Amino acid sequence: QVQLVESGGGVVQPGRSLRLACAASGFTFSNYGMHWVRQAPGKGLEWVALISYDGSQKHYGDSVKGRFTISRDNSKNTLHLHMNGLRPEDTAVYYCASGAVAGDEAFAVWGQGTMVTVSS
Amino acid sequence: DVVMTQSPLSLSVTLGQPASISCRSSQSLVYNGGNTYLIWFQQRPGQSPRRLIYKVSKRDAGVPDRFSGSGSGTDFTLKISRVEAEDVGVYYCMQGTHWPLTFGGGTKVEIK
């Protein structure tokens, strides 16, 4: 079945880096744009980044622009989020979600999330 | 950035009664090609978000037909015709027309 599984979360000190991964299965990963969305504890959803199906286009939310980089490896059906210069306000559950914004599949499938805690 | 404003913040509904959630955008969500990229999500307690409605009014497979989406331009509504216990959770609207993508603040639905 269609599945997204995030990994790589953990506790990290402010200023340090972390790389999240999202493993996709059950669909043709290389045909779909992919997103990262985060949710701080007890708060709402915040869109983080999008990468197009072939990696040629990337867009970022204002709060992560210049610090986070989204990438993908279509040969391994894997999405990544490279997070640099982490701040306490980046503490959140990070979800990956599938589908280009303009397609009927936009945000149709979500992973279970991985928790990132930024604390000294 | 486009601001998505949801109301009310919370809703307490008697089982079997209707519920309505409003979502207003600070700019029109009509894209150049005529499509409107407005999505509704449900997040049950302890779960990942689940898409219910996309492109304003298209219901996802498996979503009960008591859920419906409507609206145009800057004004959108999610309606639940008869609330059931499994509908408890937080509902979010999201716009996909303008970068960066933005979510509404959420509406918490509980049973009275």
Side-chain angles (χ1 to χ4, degrees):
Chain A
Q1 76 279 21
V2 175
Q3 195 172 13
L4 297 172
V5 178
E6 301 93 337
S7 60
V11 180
V12 61
Q13 292 180 328
R16 303 297 289 255
S17 300
L18 201 62
R19 187 180 82 157
L20 305 182
C22 169
S25 60
F27 65 103
T28 306
F29 179 71
S30 58
N31 285 354
Y32 295 93
M34 295 291 297
H35 303 264
W36 286 100
V37 176
R38 69 184 181 182
Q39 186 170 35
K43 302 297 184 182
L45 301 171
E46 180 187 10
W47 177 77
V48 173
L50 160 82
I51 187 167
S52 60
Y53 70 100
D54 61 355
S56 63
Q57 295 182 52
K58 302 176 185 181
H59 295 272
Y60 297 93
D62 293 341
S63 60
V64 307
K65 204 175 294 185
R67 299 188 300 125
F68 290 12
T69 301
I70 189 171
S71 65
R72 66 190 298 157
D73 185 339
N74 285 344
S75 68
K76 296 181 179 177
N77 291 346
T78 304
L79 174 73
H80 291 286
L81 185 67
H82 307 258
M83 304 184 293
N84 296 324
L86 283 162
R87 305 167 179 168
E89 55 265 36
D90 295 318
T91 294
V93 174
Y94 285 74
Y95 298 99
C96 60
S98 66
V101 175
D104 288 352
E105 308 80 18
F107 296 94
V109 181
W110 292 65
Q112 85 291 347
T114 187
M115 182 71 204
V116 173
T117 303
V118 183
S119 173
S120 53
Chain B
D1 297 1
V2 175
V3 177
M4 304 295 287
T5 304
Q6 285 184 235
S7 62
L9 290 180
S10 66
L11 209 45
S12 185
V13 187
T14 300
L15 287 173
Q17 292 301 301
S20 180
I21 299 170
S22 169
C23 175
R24 291 197 167 119
S25 58
S26 59
Q27 298 178 36
S28 172
L29 299 187
V30 180
Y31 192 60
N32 291 339
N35 283 314
T36 300
Y37 299 115
L38 187 284
I39 298 175
W40 288 98
F41 299 95
Q42 174 195 62
Q43 188 174 32
R44 291 171 171 150
Q47 295 187 12
S48 300
R50 168 198 183 195
R51 195 180 74 172
L52 297 176
I53 303 281
Y54 62 100
K55 290 182 181 175
V56 180
S57 60
K58 295 179 182 291
R59 191 185 311 114
D60 269 277
V63 174
D65 61 7
R66 63 178 182 275
F67 288 93
S68 64
S70 63
S72 62
T74 62
D75 210 338
F76 305 92
T77 302
L78 176 71
K79 290 184 179 175
I80 311 173
S81 59
R82 297 171 306 279
V83 170
E84 297 190 6
E86 66 178 17
D87 301 337
V88 165
V90 182
Y91 292 78
Y92 297 93
C93 61
M94 192 210 79
Q95 67 83 18
T97 300
H98 303 280
W99 300 109
L101 309 187
T102 46
F103 286 89
T107 296
K108 186 174 184 177
V109 172
E110 57 184 19
I111 303 301
K112 194 180 293 183

